[in-house]
Amino acid sequence: MQKLAAVTMTLILAACGGGGAPSTSASLTLSLDGTAATGAAISDATIEANCTNGTATSTSGADGTFTIRSTTAMLPCFLKVTVPLTGEDIYSLAEIGATRANITPLTNLVAGHVLGAEPSTKFNSFSDQERASITSPNLRKGLDFVKLAAEGAGIDLGDTDPLKVTLKAATEDSYGDLHDEKIDQLMAALAAADKSIADLSEQLAKAKAGEAQDALRETLGAASDSLESCPYARGGHFWSFLHDGTGLTEWALDAADMKITNVGAGSMYDVTELQDADGNVVPCAYTFSRETYTTTVYRSAGGVAMWKEQDSVTQGWQFGLAVPKQASHRLASTKFVGRMPGLIFVDADRSVGRHLDAGAFYFDIDSSGGVAVAHCDLATGTPTCDSATQSENDTMTCSSPGNGTISCVSKDGSVSATVLPFVTQQEPSLFLMYNATVSGYSTNALMVATKASKIPVPSVDATTTKSMAWYAARVPKNNAATGWTFDHGDSWFGPETTVSAVDAAAGIVTYSSGQVRYLNTPVDGTYWIPSWTRSDGTGASNSIALRSRGGWTVVATASAGNRTFDGRSFFIQKPE
């Protein structure tokens, strides 16, 4: 009976294609496993293999892993993954005899060097000559070249083979392994330099054996260097701005000489890596003093930073965000087309004093760069959003002055906005500084949007290793006109890290503290926390949060029991 059952199950699986494999293992001509990642796992992505005697496809899982099986295609193969949110293609190679082939920015560089050209130019016209070049000795030479080049950016790949290493990529709630962190470091350098994987791959493909590091440093520029304590905190130009959308300033960080320059003013200051109370260096954070201010900057692995500064005379605090300067993007590009949820933080100069508020929205951006906006109702019950519309009255004319910003003015001239487009890892984001006259009052606002990606629902008893974060906040006080409290420091990213209950269908997650999160509410990529009572009996505020997989989160808060979102918080996840 056992033998009969085994034979029957084998026949059923063969007939149904169970396990994603062809009918019998003996008929397989191609069997490859791998992980697709940019540091973060590339999930739910199409994997294409252009091979000898045919092609094959697969789809990556939530952790970026994939399997490719075929009964016709044979090694060697040229592999490609398309990143879902950006449309970017990343490549790899697999020689005869290979059983594993990862697809990452590092394998893209190896492929480019072996093929002698940026891989995208070769994939669709994969010739016999190019197939013949995919051999173990050639891959080893390409790997050695890329390792030498990476050292020019302080990235030590050691004895690891990026093509074949068993790679654990970072996911929503867990860090990746050591090799994954090396990929993160390369991606941080590319983001800071405003360069793509293809840019670097093309440069290295042209370089000769003794030019590896020079070619990489020429491409990355100041981003070749990082803080000694943090390979993600790269040099280069970046923008800083306040939490209310004012104070846009361009800076240049020289991480090699530890200097920072206010580009507009031409003022240079010494940079010191931040130390804790015991004198230990705090990774990925630095400080500098200017005039009467002391400024501290906290960098995420994705490049976006939070900063806070105190005036030694008034003892007052200010805080905001900082974003690497990227001048290569346009709203009509594939990277930005689609849905982008966001939060807006408003600061109105009313006759009775400053008035803070916040709201949620989403953009729908089409292939011509047209933007439709949907507004979300946070006033009652569980937040919901209306349909995105593009009103003639809201039409804005936009231009790119060439400094990495997009400048927009409304049809009637009453509204102006400066937009900072930014792409890191797999996530395009927009940071907008907005100025308008509303009901006769001068109004500033900061709008932050990032391309939609659904927040996965964790399982019961799940814990997260990606929880520690720095934060800065103005505490909500229900429309009081003055005297907002500034709060800041090291924080747990949420009151507890243990999940006690889950409603997976509704996306509702309850933590052991009693906090409840409504994931992907009111739109994918955001989450809603209604007023609740902490385990110590104290009341906690309503919150609406927009999270980024790049290591930052922005949050609007209202006092417990109220719906005036005059509190605002910025979180920067501590890189491992």
Side-chain angles (χ1 to χ4, degrees):
M1 290 295 293
Q2 289 176 337
K3 289 181 180 180
L4 178 61
V7 171
T8 302
M9 184 57 68
T10 299
L11 292 173
I12 292 173
L13 286 172
C16 298
S23 56
T24 65
S25 59
S27 65
L28 285 177
T29 58
L30 176 66
S31 179
L32 281 175
D33 298 301
T35 301
T38 59
I42 305 175
S43 58
D44 301 317
T46 298
I47 312 292
E48 298 179 56
N50 193 346
C51 307
T52 300
N53 201 41
T55 62
T57 61
S58 183
T59 302
S60 62
D63 60 356
T65 60
F66 62 88
T67 60
I68 298 176
R69 305 286 187 264
S70 177
T71 57
T72 56
M74 297 183 293
L75 293 167
C77 291
F78 196 171
L79 307 176
K80 178 177 79 171
V81 61
T82 301
V83 180
L85 289 184
T86 65
E88 185 175 26
D89 294 327
I90 305 175
Y91 298 88
S92 186
L93 301 174
E95 78 277 27
I96 293 174
T99 59
R100 184 171 183 83
N102 298 316
I103 312 176
T104 73
L106 289 169
T107 68
N108 197 108
L109 301 183
V110 173
H113 190 71
V114 170
L115 298 173
E118 206 288 306
S120 64
T121 66
K122 299 286 187 179
F123 186 78
N124 291 328
S125 57
F126 194 30
S127 68
D128 290 341
Q129 181 179 357
E130 288 154 359
R131 288 189 183 90
S133 70
I134 304 175
T135 64
S136 294
N138 285 346
L139 290 180
R140 171 50 60 184
K141 290 178 183 178
L143 176 58
D144 290 343
F145 182 88
V146 169
K147 286 184 176 181
L148 180 61
E151 290 175 5
I155 302 171
D156 182 5
L157 297 177
D159 296 328
T160 303
D161 182 348
L163 292 160
K164 298 180 176 60
V165 66
T166 301
L167 171 62
K168 179 183 182 296
T171 59
E172 185 76 24
D173 58 2
S174 65
Y175 290 104
D177 59 20
L178 290 176
H179 182 67
D180 191 66
E181 291 173 15
K182 304 297 183 182
I183 302 172
D184 278 328
Q185 294 167 23
L186 176 63
M187 295 302 289
L190 288 170
D194 191 20
K195 298 295 183 181
S196 68
I197 299 166
D199 291 333
L200 182 57
S201 186
E202 181 177 14
Q203 192 77 3
L204 294 184
K206 299 174 183 176
K208 297 178 182 178
E211 302 171 344
Q213 292 188 12
D214 289 342
L216 179 136
R217 293 186 69 85
E218 180 181 345
T219 304
L220 297 182
S224 302
D225 300 309
S226 66
L227 295 185
E228 186 175 344
S229 68
C230 181
Y232 310 109
R234 293 279 162 176
H237 286 241
F238 64 93
W239 299 103
S240 72
F241 44 89
L242 283 159
H243 61 85
D244 62 0
T246 62
L248 182 65
T249 305
E250 182 180 354
W251 299 86
L253 175 64
D254 183 339
D257 292 338
M258 296 299 283
K259 303 284 185 181
I260 193 167
T261 301
N262 182 321
V263 175
S267 305
M268 182 181 291
Y269 309 96
D270 292 328
V271 171
T272 303
E273 291 187 287
L274 184 66
Q275 295 183 352
D276 62 20
D278 297 323
N280 300 311
V281 171
V282 178
C284 301
Y286 58 90
T287 184
F288 63 96
S289 297
R290 58 183 185 88
E291 292 80 46
T292 60
Y293 298 95
T294 299
T295 305
T296 305
V297 182
Y298 302 90
R299 289 281 193 104
S300 70
V304 172
M306 179 193 74
W307 60 270
K308 61 185 180 184
E309 66 181 17
Q310 186 175 32
D311 188 328
S312 61
V313 176
T314 66
Q315 299 302 304
W317 288 91
Q318 289 282 21
F319 71 102
L321 294 174
V323 181
K325 179 179 177 179
Q326 296 185 341
S328 59
H329 303 304
R330 299 292 179 269
L331 289 183
S333 73
T334 303
K335 292 181 176 68
F336 293 97
V337 171
R339 178 155 295 179
M340 301 188 78
L343 296 184
I344 179 170
F345 302 94
V346 180
D347 189 345
D349 189 6
R350 300 176 62 179
S351 57
V352 294
R354 308 299 297 181
H355 177 85
L356 302 185
D357 207 346
F361 65 91
Y362 66 81
F363 292 138
D364 279 342
I365 301 178
D366 63 31
S367 57
S368 66
V371 180
V373 183
H375 301 282
C376 304
D377 182 6
L378 306 183
T380 58
T382 302
T384 57
C385 302
D386 58 23
S387 299
T389 59
Q390 187 171 9
S391 169
E392 175 66 22
N393 295 328
D394 295 333
T395 299
M396 300 187 79
T397 301
C398 298
S399 62
S400 300
N403 64 350
T405 68
I406 299 172
S407 296
C408 301
V409 180
S410 65
K411 186 176 182 180
D412 62 4
S414 64
V415 179
S416 62
T418 299
V419 186
L420 306 178
F422 177 68
V423 179
T424 184
Q425 290 277 13
Q426 305 162 39
E427 193 167 71
S429 301
L430 296 173
F431 300 84
L432 298 86
M433 275 51 70
Y434 173 100
N435 181 267
T437 300
V438 180
S439 301
Y441 298 112
S442 176
T443 302
N444 301 310
L446 170 64
M447 303 176 74
V448 181
T450 192
K451 201 163 187 182
S453 57
K454 196 170 182 118
I455 304 172
V457 179
S459 57
V460 175
D461 295 329
T463 58
T464 176
T465 59
K466 297 177 73 171
S467 55
M468 290 299 290
W470 297 292
Y471 74 97
R474 293 190 76 166
V475 178
K477 56 182 304 184
N478 196 29
N479 261 342
T482 59
W484 280 278
T485 301
F486 177 67
D487 191 15
H488 59 106
D490 295 346
S491 169
W492 282 103
F493 211 27
E496 298 285 350
T497 57
T498 303
V499 175
S500 58
V502 167
D503 181 340
I508 302 174
V509 181
T510 303
Y511 293 85
S512 55
S513 64
Q515 185 195 87
V516 178
R517 292 188 183 186
Y518 291 71
L519 303 184
N520 304 302
T521 299
V523 63
D524 287 354
T526 64
Y527 59 88
W528 161 249
I529 303 174
S531 292
W532 57 289
T533 301
R534 294 188 179 95
S535 54
D536 62 6
T538 60
S541 58
N542 297 292
S543 298
I544 183 78
L546 171 70
R547 74 89 178 88
S548 161
R549 292 177 301 173
W552 53 268
T553 298
V554 295
V555 184
T557 53
S559 301
N562 295 297
R563 287 296 180 95
T564 299
F565 288 82
D566 56 344
R568 53 199 62 182
S569 308
F570 299 155
F571 290 83
I572 294 295
Q573 179 186 301
K574 295 180 180 179
E576 187 165 71

